[in-house]
Amino acid sequence: MLGYGVATIGPAIAVGLIFAAYINGVARQPESQSRLQSIAILGFALAEALAIIGIALAFAIQ
């Protein structure tokens, strides 16, 4: 379980970078909010999928 805790650092950083880029993009071009929002949500889902796969593997290995 300690390994899983360390492995979640990557997706956590990725989620932070995704939403930081989303906020920056909307601040620069507010009219593109709807397009950027769907891309940010997709990126968030993919990054969180890595964490979910990691916890599934952590339980499967034990």
Side-chain angles (χ1 to χ4, degrees), residues 2 4 7 10 19 37 51:
L2 183 64
Y4 172 69
F19 284 110
Q37 185 175 10

Side-chain angles (χ1 to χ4, degrees), residues 1-2 6 8-10 12-13 17 25 28 33 38-42 48 54 57-59 61:
M1 287 297 154
L2 183 64
V6 173
T8 58
I9 294 173
I13 292 172
L17 290 175
R28 289 177 182 262
Q33 179 182 4
S38 62
I39 294 171
I41 300 250
L42 178 64
E48 283 298 313
L57 289 176
F59 283 118
I61 292 175

Side-chain angles (χ1 to χ4, degrees), residues 14-15 17-23 26 33-49:
V15 168
L17 290 175
I18 287 167
F19 284 110
Y22 168 69
I23 291 169
V26 171
Q33 179 182 4
S34 62
R35 175 175 252 190
L36 291 176
Q37 185 175 10
S38 62
I39 294 171
I41 300 250
L42 178 64
F44 169 75
L46 291 174
E48 283 298 313

